Amino acid sequence: MAEPIRLRMSAPDVPPPAPPDGGETGLAESLGHWSPTRALGRAVLVVSVLLFVAVLLRRADLVVLAAPFALGAAIGVWRRPEALPAVRVSVASELLSEGRPVQAQISVGNTDPIGYDLVVLRTATSPWLRLRHSDRPYVTSVASQTVADIDLEGEALRWGRPALGPTHAWAVAADGLLVSDAGVANARRLKVFPVTETFDAVEAMPKAAGLVGGHRSRRPGEGGELAGVRMFAPGDRLRRIDWRVSLRTQELHVAATLSDRDAEVVLLLDVLHEAGRSGGIQGARSVLDTTVRAAAGIAEHYLHAGDRVALLEYGFRARRLRAAGGRRQYLTVLEWLLDVSAQHGAYEPSPAAFGPHTVSANALVVVLTPLLDTRAAAMVARFARAGRFVVAVDTLPPDIPLPVQEGWGTLAGRLWKLDRDNTIGQLREHGVPVVAWAGAGSLDEVLRGVSRMAGGVRPGAR
Amino acid sequence: MSERSERQNRRDDAFSWIENLTDRVRRAAPGPMLVRGGVFLAALAAQLVAWPGAVVLGTPVLVLVVIAVLPALTPRSWLVTLAVLAAVLGWLASTTAYQEPLTYWRLILLAGLLYLLHNLAALAAVLPYDAVVSPGVLTGWLRRYGVVVLLTAAVAMFTRLLPTYLPGQRYLVASLVGLGLMVAVAAYLATLVRRR
């Protein structure tokens, strides 16, 4: 028999459970936590039948046949533990990222002076935690006043808050004649952060909101990016004078620079639908996988560049993370993304919660959407009509299979695809670039277009 | 509901049952299977020891094999009791109808095998079929079994030697005391069962 788990026995560090009535436990009270099994009933029946026949036929050999049943049951029940098993689930680290190893430990303690014959442990585990043998019950013996530790090792497969537990433990005593009520350990929630998609955008932000930041703007001003050389004018700083050009031309010239600006990026996550089957970090991606990993990548990029990033969930919970910058905001974004989940509903999320007025006029709005729902397309169009700089990132997996069925299934699938293509075309007519997510450089082309548009007059701008 | 859909439902149920069975077989772990194998061997050995040679060496032995298989397949059912009582019946048949000699070692062997059958069936009943079992569980279980069998051997020796040392009147009293003790144990256990 293989031994896939490592067991360690040590002194218990869990307090003994209090008696139910808070006083001395008698036979009835102690059996309140323990139940006889069918084996005890069988032992009683066999002993009774054998003794009856022994008396009836005056056969001492039948008493010998009954003796082990009676002795085994009597010894087992006489020396029975009373305390329930105490269980605890612990993990080496609750902060993980996708694909990283998980180290957990289940401890089952016996505070009773009499040992358990065995303890059956069942642990419920999230499908996104691949722990060795976690889908099977464990059976181990626990001696008196000791703790048995069971190490579970594996890896976290997908972002989110996967649960480890709850764990139930049933103790068996008296050679299988008594079984205890379950000792329960509550579930532990891990934090598995998404692996950040590599993302890089070289294009300038369409509109800046502040006078400091990491982006060169399209406006002249104080900054580090050289815009050209021009004649000196009142108000120019003396340190800006380009002495070489001034000597050559015999007139004062200054080096003109473009101002440095920061910007606000709003990531709008469409969580109305989940589509595709997630296979974890090493498998296929669902819509939410792409949405969360892409959001983490885009947020990391812009926060690293010094911009402010806000997040908004387009669904019925209307979760929102206000704009901020820096490393702390990046960690907050990752934590915020852990709770992203699909929110189905028949109604349209309130336009008051997702209207253009909720977003700064200068912000770049990146909508991560699978475009499976006309409600989401309408929301994007509203932002565009209001003059916001909107980029739609298509998060629908390209390899998602269309239905192939007899009858009208195939045709319906093709019609649905045509309808979706039509929606994308309409969004483009509204001036919303739609681009499929492809990691680094995904948004360069569309950001270039948005920046060009930002230089012109926006009819709906407020 | 039409006859065709009923047939379809029955077929679906059958497929579901087969799928469930194959899944259980695929997930079965070595530890619990080892214990169930022990239940089968103990039940078979008990039947072979208990029943007379004429039955064991003839065609009826196939019935004994079936009786031995059933507790291994369903250790939580009444079939374990049936296997124990079948062996007791065979023992009575051997020593009465077939006039086979009642030897001390055969009696001890049968008592040990019957208790092993009961004990391993109790273990198999609490072990999930797909459980990962620590080896210490099995060794501890068998150690306790060995203690009980040793005590049984002592009881058997006591019942065998007692008549030679006690006169008839005292032997009767001692037998009644022993019997009363056993009845008291059975009654105590019965009260525990009633508290279920």
Side-chain angles (χ1 to χ4, degrees):
Chain A
M1 187 167 28
E3 175 55 24
I5 53 178
R6 286 180 302 193
L7 292 170
R8 289 190 297 274
M9 307 293 278
S10 57
D13 54 354
V14 285
D21 57 356
E24 188 179 342
T25 56
L27 178 65
E29 287 77 16
S30 67
L31 274 179
H33 294 294
W34 293 78
S35 305
T37 63
R38 284 173 179 268
L40 182 55
R42 181 169 64 237
V44 171
L45 179 67
V46 169
V47 170
S48 305
V49 168
L50 285 174
L51 290 182
F52 179 73
V53 178
V55 172
L56 204 66
L57 302 179
R58 290 194 285 181
R59 295 277 301 261
D61 55 326
L62 295 184
V63 177
V64 175
L65 291 183
F69 290 88
L71 289 172
I75 294 171
V77 174
W78 190 262
R79 274 185 54 79
R80 66 183 182 280
E82 295 180 357
L84 291 181
V87 202
R88 192 178 58 186
V89 178
S90 55
V91 289
S93 171
E94 289 187 343
L95 305 179
L96 303 162
S97 61
E98 290 177 296
R100 302 298 298 168
V102 179
Q103 289 183 328
Q105 194 175 67
I106 298 173
S107 305
V108 53
N110 177 8
T111 55
D112 203 277
I114 298 169
Y116 301 139
D117 292 348
L118 59 90
V119 176
V120 180
L121 289 156
R122 278 188 187 274
T123 303
T125 311
S126 162
W128 301 120
L129 291 177
R130 186 193 289 154
L131 298 174
R132 197 162 172 243
H133 294 302
S134 64
D135 60 336
R136 292 176 180 273
Y138 290 88
V139 178
T140 182
S141 55
V142 185
S144 61
Q145 314 230 324
T146 58
V147 173
D149 295 327
I150 298 168
D151 291 332
L152 299 175
E153 292 177 355
E155 64 176 331
L157 295 180
R158 191 184 184 229
W159 57 271
R161 297 181 191 271
L164 179 60
T167 298
H168 291 79
W170 292 270
V172 174
D175 284 340
L177 304 184
L178 296 173
V179 63
S180 75
D181 294 344
V184 183
N186 291 330
R188 298 293 297 266
R189 291 269 176 191
L190 309 183
K191 292 179 184 175
V192 180
F193 295 114
V195 166
T196 307
E197 292 275 349
T198 310
F199 176 75
D200 191 19
V202 296
E203 209 32 59
M205 295 295 291
K207 196 86 174 178
L211 284 172
V212 291
H215 295 281
R216 69 176 192 272
S217 72
R218 290 179 179 275
R219 292 182 179 177
E222 289 294 325
E225 189 73 18
L226 186 65
V229 178
R230 59 168 174 78
M231 292 282 288
F232 181 84
D236 282 339
R237 295 187 176 188
L238 292 179
R239 62 187 176 89
R240 290 285 184 187
I241 294 175
D242 189 333
W243 293 108
R244 191 173 296 173
V245 178
S246 299
L247 284 173
R248 192 166 61 241
T249 58
Q250 299 296 312
E251 290 201 47
L252 277 178
H253 281 74
V254 291
T257 57
L258 296 172
S259 60
D260 292 337
R261 301 294 180 97
D262 78 339
E264 182 177 327
V265 180
V266 177
L267 300 177
L268 189 48
L269 278 59
D270 175 6
V271 295
L272 287 179
H273 297 285
E274 167 69 307
R277 190 180 292 272
S278 176
I281 186 66
Q282 295 159 350
R285 296 167 171 217
S286 68
V287 164
L288 286 187
D289 284 348
T290 305
T291 300
V292 167
R293 290 170 190 156
I298 295 171
E300 183 187 30
H301 169 77
Y302 283 113
L303 288 170
H304 185 71
D307 296 323
R308 287 171 292 116
V309 173
L311 277 87
L312 186 57
E313 206 178 77
Y314 183 64
F316 296 96
R317 292 191 299 179
R319 291 200 309 136
R320 178 187 296 269
L321 179 65
R322 57 187 299 184
R327 174 80 182 164
R328 180 188 291 265
Q329 175 73 351
Y330 176 57
L331 297 176
T332 310
V333 165
L334 290 180
E335 182 110 14
W336 190 89
L337 287 172
L338 295 183
D339 295 318
V340 169
S341 61
Q343 303 290 316
H344 303 283
Y347 304 103
E348 183 169 359
S350 167
F354 298 99
H357 62 281
T358 59
V359 172
S360 163
N362 296 318
L364 169 66
V365 182
V366 180
V367 184
L368 298 154
T369 172
L371 290 169
L372 291 173
D373 200 309
T374 52
R375 292 173 292 183
M379 178 267 296
V380 175
R382 275 200 300 275
F383 273 96
R385 274 202 298 271
R388 300 296 185 270
F389 306 106
V390 187
V391 175
V393 178
D394 184 1
T395 54
L396 190 71
D399 53 352
I400 198 163
L402 288 175
V404 181
Q405 295 172 352
E406 294 178 2
W408 296 96
T410 308
L411 192 59
R414 287 170 58 192
L415 278 173
W416 170 81
K417 191 167 187 320
L418 282 173
D419 187 44
R420 184 170 178 277
D421 291 343
N422 190 39
T423 303
I424 292 173
Q426 285 178 327
L427 281 177
R428 285 183 174 140
E429 284 177 6
H430 274 76
V432 179
V434 181
V435 59
W437 176 254
S442 291
L443 305 187
D444 273 352
E445 185 64 31
V446 292
L447 285 180
R448 202 172 292 128
V450 171
S451 296
R452 273 200 302 271
M453 286 172 62
V457 179
R458 291 179 295 143
R462 285 190 290 186
Chain B
M1 193 184 293
S2 69
E3 189 180 336
R4 186 179 172 187
S5 61
E6 279 182 20
R7 246 196 340 260
Q8 180 72 28
N9 285 344
R10 277 200 296 272
R11 195 165 55 186
D12 288 348
D13 289 346
F15 278 129
S16 170
W17 186 82
I18 292 171
E19 199 174 327
N20 187 29
L21 185 67
T22 51
D23 186 53
R24 287 173 73 95
V25 169
R26 186 177 54 79
R27 282 184 57 83
M33 292 306 107
L34 187 68
V35 174
R36 287 177 184 238
V39 171
F40 167 69
L41 291 178
L44 184 62
Q47 305 300 331
L48 296 181
V49 170
W51 286 89
V55 174
V56 170
L57 298 176
T59 314
V61 75
L62 295 176
V63 178
L64 300 183
V65 172
V66 171
I67 290 175
V69 166
L70 294 177
L73 294 178
T74 56
R76 291 175 194 168
S77 71
W78 53 272
L79 294 171
V80 183
T81 312
L82 177 75
V84 172
L85 295 181
V88 173
L89 191 66
W91 172 254
L92 288 173
S94 297
T95 51
T96 54
Y98 286 82
Q99 297 291 321
E100 290 189 356
L102 198 161
T103 60
Y104 173 77
W105 291 112
R106 190 179 174 192
L107 179 63
I108 290 297
L109 184 61
L110 180 61
L113 287 171
L114 286 181
Y115 185 62
L116 183 64
L117 163 62
H118 160 76
N119 204 20
L120 287 182
L123 175 58
V126 294
L127 283 184
Y129 70 96
D130 56 347
V132 177
V133 182
S134 169
V137 172
L138 297 181
T139 53
W141 202 272
L142 293 176
R143 191 175 60 244
R144 290 188 296 275
Y145 163 77
V147 171
V148 172
V149 168
L150 282 178
L151 288 173
T152 303
V155 169
M157 185 68 75
F158 183 72
T159 58
R160 186 183 170 87
L161 297 180
L162 194 64
T164 58
Y165 292 105
L166 287 177
Q169 189 68 23
R170 287 186 181 178
Y171 174 66
L172 179 63
V173 171
S175 300
L176 289 175
V177 168
L179 194 60
L181 201 62
M182 296 289 274
V183 169
V185 169
Y188 172 63
L189 296 177
T191 57
L192 293 182
V193 174
R194 273 208 303 277
R195 284 207 178 91
R196 192 178 211 159

